[in-house]
Amino acid sequence: MTQTEVEGLYGEGADDIEGCFGCGMDFSYPELELSGRYSETLDRMDKNGEIDSIKSPKVKKITIAKENFSILGVQLGSSFKDARRTLERKGFKLQSNENEYYYNYYYKGNLFIKLWWDNALYNLNLNHGYLGEDAEKVTSITLEVRVKEDEEIVY
């Protein structure tokens, strides 16, 4: 979905979280237990490699902490062990190279999933190195499409 479509359904959802430095690409809807990020470049680059500001940014990342939510067969509230098995059966692999931007995510192609144990919508200050113990419950999930062009932007 585009930012225009999301805001048409739910309102602006501006992110007031410290650490964004005014970039304005993050959004948060606490009442929906949902937060995320828009891509600055996805389907917005013109033939000269410039961002077409007329085109609305698209969602590239969402974190959901809504009870009973399920994505790709992973149910919030299930154990990390069960969630990992489900993702592995669907062909996802664990990204474990600490130098990579997506460390500690499960990935398949350019789709990344991160399992969280604290039902936080804001993962800016969390320990990204923690995998979760087998018996712990998954309380939020981040789903992201990797957009390499966004990673190359220098502010």
Side-chain angles (χ1 to χ4, degrees):
M1 291 180 87
T2 67
Q3 183 175 2
T4 302
E5 292 168 324
V6 171
E7 290 178 355
L9 291 171
Y10 305 113
E12 190 173 309
D15 183 15
D16 298 324
I17 301 300
E18 198 174 309
C20 183
F21 307 110
C23 65
M25 297 305 291
D26 293 319
F27 60 89
S28 174
Y29 297 97
E31 68 282 1
L32 299 174
E33 299 179 81
L34 177 111
S35 66
R37 184 160 180 80
Y38 297 107
S39 169
E40 295 180 67
T41 62
L42 185 63
D43 294 337
R44 296 180 73 209
M45 302 297 283
D46 65 21
K47 54 187 156 199
N48 298 320
E50 300 292 322
I51 296 173
D52 183 346
S53 61
I54 294 174
K55 292 183 178 179
S56 182
K58 289 188 173 180
V59 174
K60 72 170 180 180
K61 176 179 182 178
I62 58 172
T63 298
I64 300 167
K66 190 159 186 72
E67 193 175 343
N68 298 322
F69 178 78
S70 175
I71 189 160
L72 296 172
V74 176
Q75 177 78 39
L76 286 183
S78 63
S79 70
F80 271 79
K81 183 178 182 178
D82 289 344
R84 283 194 292 267
R85 282 185 186 160
T86 298
L87 291 173
E88 288 168 358
R89 275 195 309 268
K90 294 187 180 290
F92 283 82
K93 296 178 182 160
L94 178 63
Q95 169 62 45
S96 57
N97 179 343
E98 290 186 49
N99 295 317
E100 285 291 319
Y101 177 75
Y102 286 90
Y103 173 67
N104 201 5
Y105 276 73
Y106 291 87
Y107 71 97
K108 184 177 180 181
N110 68 343
L111 184 62
F112 288 75
I113 294 177
K114 171 75 175 173
L115 308 173
W116 300 97
W117 60 93
D118 62 357
N119 103 353
L121 293 177
Y122 313 108
N123 55 37
L124 193 61
N125 298 316
L126 296 178
N127 177 0
H128 289 261
Y130 184 68
L131 281 169
E133 300 294 324
D134 282 353
E136 281 184 283
K137 302 294 180 197
V138 176
T139 56
S140 63
I141 297 174
T142 297
L143 175 68
E144 183 167 3
V145 175
R146 186 173 191 178
V147 182
K148 291 184 181 182
E149 291 85 357
D150 283 358
E151 295 172 30
E152 296 168 359
I153 294 174
V154 178
Y155 296 98

